[in-house]
Amino acid sequence: MQMESQMEAVKVEGFGPDSGVEDLGRCVDEISTTVSRLEQRVNDVEQFYLTTDNMELTITKSASAFKEKVKEKQLTGLEKQQQEASQREAAALKRMQELMRQFATILRQITQHKWAHPFMHPVDVEGLGLHDYYEIVQKPMDFGTIKSKMEAKDGTGYKNVREIYSDVRLVFKNAMKYNDERHDVHIMAKTLLEKFEEKWLQLLPKVAEEEKRQAEEEAKAELDVKLAQEAVHANMAKELSNELCEVDLQLEKLRQIVIQKCRKMSTEEKKKLGTALTRLSPEDLGKALEIVAENNPGFQPTAQEVDLDIDAQSELTLWRLKVFVQDKLKLAGKCSEAMVCNNINNNENTIKSNSKRRREISDALTKNAIKRNRKLSPNS
């Protein structure tokens, strides 16, 4: 698959052995820029997999280009998922409406009972002088309120059958709670509650089946979203891998061109390089030998005895070694200078300290001599 980002990849075909240093620098800068972009996108994909349990797409704000690409690839899948989700919601709503219709039939049978009239409207607390009613009943309820809520079209209505069921039970429970067991209202409420529970048990299996179905559909929808996101990022990871391979190819082409442009190192320069290698620390010498091994598969940089033939090395290896050795020896020189300065400072401090101590001893001896002279004086 041809990727848009590959079109942005650095092309070095037009950069040949006759090109100048400026062209070389331009190619290096362009490759560096491309690598930086790819690194950011790799981090974004990695971040997604680290936060997969959150069930949401995690993309850093700075990666706007990558974010847009993810959106484009997700668009078709998300539109399809949204369409399927809408269809499922519509079907679930239709099934729930049917359950509510059946529940309304049960409620109508209860409210038509001859003992239902005390529960049809809110309790007239003031008219009946029930001054402690709200202290005992925390949530008043009546069939008139339930009916209004069932018919509401402004989004304040019941969402499912169980909500209506709970309010109907609350009507009877409130009456039984406030009134004594021997009170007519308590007896009427208890009787109607029993009749209501009998009818509810007939509808309950259908309600339970619908609730289970909705839970399964919601779980499946969440899983589909997660799988879609993972598929998108798997594709992104594959594309990034291809783009990184493309960069590797460009770097290899650039490397070959650099090799062609390297001037040959003179015999004197090779001799100086060999001498400089012996001045490296064991750790830096090991790194230098690793540079040699990169272009010499048979060379063993970690062997106990290493035979390095400077004349047998490629020009690229020689120049890489020269730059590496110069940097390390320059850094070692700075460290040595710092150590020398520290030693000088320490010596100066020691000299000053010794000088001060000698003065203190001399002053003490002088004072003692003066005291002895005073004791020996005839006037004392």
Side-chain angles (χ1 to χ4, degrees), residues 115-230:
W115 286 354
H117 64 89
F119 315 110
M120 297 303 296
H121 304 286
V123 175
D124 185 5
V125 176
E126 295 295 331
L128 298 175
L130 309 178
H131 305 299
D132 60 346
Y133 185 80
Y134 294 118
E135 296 177 6
I136 299 175
V137 177
Q138 283 72 39
K139 184 182 178 182
M141 185 56 61
D142 63 276
F143 290 135
T145 300
I146 292 174
K147 183 179 179 182
S148 298
K149 196 171 180 180
M150 289 179 65
E151 297 173 352
K153 304 297 184 182
D154 57 356
T156 61
Y158 293 108
K159 301 297 187 297
N160 55 67
V161 176
R162 282 196 183 272
E163 292 182 355
I164 316 175
Y165 165 74
S166 297
D167 278 353
V168 172
R169 293 187 80 251
L170 184 61
V171 172
F172 299 129
K173 288 292 184 180
N174 285 345
M176 294 167 64
K177 183 178 182 181
Y178 185 78
N179 296 280
D180 185 81
E181 292 183 0
R182 292 170 295 181
H183 196 283
D184 289 344
V185 173
H186 183 104
I187 297 172
M188 294 163 68
K190 184 177 180 181
T191 302
L192 291 178
L193 178 59
E194 291 174 353
K195 291 182 177 296
F196 169 70
E197 293 288 7
E198 290 176 3
K199 295 181 180 298
W200 165 253
L201 288 176
Q202 297 175 9
L203 183 63
L204 183 57
K206 295 182 180 178
V207 175
E209 181 182 357
E210 176 59 25
E211 290 173 341
K212 180 181 178 181
R213 181 173 180 178
Q214 288 188 12
E216 291 175 348
E217 289 180 350
E218 289 176 3
K220 183 178 181 301
E222 290 180 356
L223 180 60
D224 289 344
V225 170
K226 181 179 179 180
L227 293 176
Q229 291 176 354
E230 290 180 352

